């Protein structure tokens, strides 16, 4: 049995090493192919590039998000940045439409923001209109929740808006819609889903927070051990664990009250487009953080009260204290990933690399 296990282990390790080797070989071959394609493109003239469909290949690579190919080609010949398709969409218009942030960030490295933004209009939509289109589902699938998806779309729109000239902001397209109107029209459904998602989450968390407020408020007036009949002070007033009980109870009460207020703020929000960019995510981050802290403090209060009453003389308090960690663990598993994702999306590094110029 032992020999069989060792044999299986060696087979797994061997297959893993073989897989890594194949990946490294594939990457090496792809880099070699890319290098040869680059030299072939650079040695060709304009007519040969049109005949060989070089511009179509570059735009296809952008649609698929193949950054290395686009970066190497554009770095080798900056004139290729003006490649366009039959609809006069250049490489950055396509990058915006398909939401490829790394490729779009090349605009900062090439330092052609003004020229490109002003000349990137096709016969229908300009660059800012492209940001107002609905993103492909593949670019949003990895983002949890409609509200965060709406936030990402707003981040794209604001980023493109920051590099386009003011004259393009109010320029209508063939449908007679300005970029802002075009964005609103294309994101009505996502905005509605984001509002529902926010309200459902806030409603559920409000119930939990209100329950904790009720429990913690009652617990401070029913202290473990009761009060001394002579002076009315708690019997365990001089115990260190009693101070832990009181402090954790107060912290749980205050943090849960804060979380309830934050969630009420979400429920009563006006839900304008701008609110999804920072206002609503900030309230949700504060609400979830304080709710998590209040649950931890509540379990600490419970454990301290149990230890005070049992005086560590019973075997039962150890497994009960271990069970007290279950609600905390469940909250971490269920809501903490959402909290982290929302914090990174709102206050983390931008998806756009404005320091791209250092690579050129």
């Amino acid at each position: 049995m032992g020999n069989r296990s060792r044999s299986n282990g060696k087979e797994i390790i061997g297959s893993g090493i073989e897989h890594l080797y194949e990946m490294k070989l594939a990457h090496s071959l792809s880099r070699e192919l890319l290098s040869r394609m680059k030299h072939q493109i650079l040695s060709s003239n304009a007519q040969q590039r049109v005949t060989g469909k070089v511009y179509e290949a570059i735009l296809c690579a952008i649609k698929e998000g193949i950054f290395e190919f686009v970066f190497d080609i554009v770095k080798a010949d900056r004139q290729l940045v003006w490649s366009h398709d039959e609809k006069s969409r250049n490489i950055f218009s396509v990058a915006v439409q398909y939401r490829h942030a790394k490729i779009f960030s090349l605009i900062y490295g090439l330092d052609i923001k003004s020229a490109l933004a002003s000349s990137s209009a096709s016969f229908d939509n300009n660059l800012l209109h492209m940001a107002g289109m609905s993103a492909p589902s593949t670019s949003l699938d990895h983002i949890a929740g409609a509200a965060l998806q709406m936030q990402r779309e707003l981040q794209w729109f604001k980023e493109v808006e920051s590099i386009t000239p003011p004259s393009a902001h109010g320029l209508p397209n063939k449908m007679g819609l300005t970029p802002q109107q075009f964005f609103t029209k294309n994101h009505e459904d996502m905005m509605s889903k984001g509002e529902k998602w926010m309200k459902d989450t806030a409603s559920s968390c409000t119930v939990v927070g209100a329950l904790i407020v009720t429990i913690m408020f009652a617990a401070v007036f029913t202290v473990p051990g009761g009060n001394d009949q002579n002076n009315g002070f708690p019997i365990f007033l001089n115990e260190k664990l009693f101070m832990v009980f009181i402090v954790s109870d107060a912290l749980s009460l205050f943090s849960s009250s804060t979380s309830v207020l934050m969630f009420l703020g979400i429920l009563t929000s006006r839900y304008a487009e701008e609110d999804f960019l920072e206002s609503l995510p900030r309230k949700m981050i504060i609400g979830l953080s304080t709710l998590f802290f209040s649950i931890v403090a509540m379990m600490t209060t419970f454990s301290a009260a149990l230890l005070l009453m049992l005086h560590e003389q019973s075997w039962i308090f150890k497994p009960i204290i271990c069970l007290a960690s279950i609600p905390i663990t469940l909250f971490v598993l269920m809501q903490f990933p959402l909290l982290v994702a929302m914090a990174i999306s709102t206050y983390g590094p931008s998806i756009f690399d404005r320091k791209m110029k250092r690579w050129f």
Side-chain angles (χ1 to χ4, degrees):
M1 188 70 178
N3 292 333
R4 185 181 298 174
S5 299
R6 283 193 294 270
S7 177
N8 291 337
K10 290 179 180 179
E11 289 178 3
I12 294 172
I13 294 173
S15 62
I17 293 174
E18 184 179 352
H19 180 64
L20 287 174
Y21 174 76
E22 290 176 353
M23 289 178 62
K24 187 174 179 62
L25 179 62
H27 182 264
S28 177
L29 292 174
S30 64
R31 293 297 302 174
E32 178 64 24
L33 177 62
L34 176 59
S35 177
R36 295 191 180 189
M37 289 175 64
K38 181 176 69 174
H39 291 306
Q40 190 68 30
I41 291 172
L42 293 177
S43 62
S44 60
N45 56 39
Q47 183 58 42
Q48 289 173 328
R49 291 177 181 180
V50 173
T51 306
K53 297 185 176 181
V54 172
Y55 303 119
E56 288 87 339
I58 294 173
L59 293 171
C60 184
I62 294 171
K63 291 178 183 179
E64 298 298 327
I66 307 174
F67 173 75
E68 288 184 346
F69 176 80
V70 179
F71 176 77
D72 285 353
I73 293 297
V74 172
K75 186 178 180 181
D77 186 356
R78 295 198 178 190
Q79 290 303 314
L80 290 171
V81 76
W82 305 108
S83 304
H84 58 82
D85 61 8
E86 67 280 358
K87 295 182 179 180
S88 299
R89 294 180 303 180
N90 59 46
I91 66 173
F92 295 105
S93 295
V94 177
V96 171
Q97 182 181 356
Y98 289 90
R99 302 298 193 264
H100 294 304
K102 286 187 70 177
I103 296 176
F104 176 77
S105 296
L106 289 173
I107 198 171
Y108 298 109
L110 296 168
D111 198 22
I112 55 172
K113 293 184 292 183
S114 299
L116 186 65
S118 60
S119 64
S120 62
S122 67
F123 63 86
D124 191 6
N125 296 312
N126 63 27
L127 190 63
L128 194 53
H129 280 106
M130 305 300 285
M133 291 181 175
S134 297
S137 58
T138 52
S139 67
L140 298 175
D141 286 343
H142 67 285
I143 301 176
L148 287 181
Q149 293 177 355
M150 184 67 185
Q151 182 191 46
R152 178 57 54 86
E153 287 291 87
L154 282 165
Q155 288 171 345
W156 264 101
F157 189 81
K158 293 297 181 183
E159 187 70 19
V160 177
E161 187 179 47
S162 68
I163 67 164
T164 54
S167 59
H169 297 178
L171 193 66
N173 61 4
K174 185 181 289 186
M175 299 169 62
L177 299 174
T178 64
Q180 183 63 59
Q181 293 169 338
F182 195 56
F183 179 90
T184 302
K185 180 179 181 296
N186 288 322
H187 292 83
E188 286 178 350
D189 184 56
M190 183 181 291
M191 189 172 168
S192 177
K193 290 180 179 177
E195 180 179 347
K196 183 179 183 301
W197 182 84
M198 274 282 185
K199 285 185 175 180
D200 289 346
T201 305
S203 297
S204 301
C205 293
T206 301
V207 173
V208 177
L211 183 62
I212 294 174
V213 170
T214 304
I215 295 171
M216 293 297 100
F217 188 82
V220 78
F221 295 107
T222 55
V223 294
N227 299 322
D228 192 317
Q229 297 297 322
N230 296 322
N231 54 29
F233 290 112
I235 293 175
F236 296 123
L237 182 61
N238 296 321
E239 297 283 342
K240 290 182 179 179
L241 277 175
F242 185 79
M243 287 296 104
V244 174
F245 170 83
I246 290 297
V247 171
S248 58
D249 184 281
L251 290 175
S252 181
L253 177 64
F254 298 148
S255 58
S256 57
S257 299
T258 303
S259 71
V260 169
L261 290 175
M262 287 295 104
F263 292 131
L264 287 175
I266 292 174
L267 291 172
T268 57
S269 176
R270 61 187 181 132
Y271 286 94
E273 284 179 2
E274 297 291 331
D275 292 342
F276 285 92
L277 189 61
E278 188 172 339
S279 176
L280 288 171
R282 180 175 62 245
K283 289 176 183 177
M284 183 64 76
I285 290 169
I286 296 173
L288 288 175
S289 300
T290 51
L291 181 61
F292 173 70
F293 184 78
S294 69
I295 292 174
V296 174
M298 181 179 67
M299 292 298 101
T300 304
T301 303
F302 170 77
S303 301
L306 191 67
L307 286 170
L308 277 170
M309 291 186 292
L310 297 177
H311 294 284
E312 302 185 12
Q313 295 178 1
S314 175
W315 62 270
I316 196 67
F317 78 91
K318 289 183 179 179
I320 289 180
I321 290 176
C322 290
L323 289 173
S325 64
I326 292 178
I328 301 171
T329 305
L330 288 175
F331 185 89
V332 169
L333 293 175
M334 295 173 63
Q335 298 294 341
F336 200 68
L338 171 63
L339 176 60
V340 172
M342 194 167 287
I344 292 174
S345 179
T346 306
Y347 300 109
S350 173
I351 59 173
F352 305 100
D353 186 3
R354 297 189 177 186
K355 297 180 180 179
M356 181 65 75
K357 195 169 185 177
R358 67 182 183 272
W359 299 108
F360 285 84

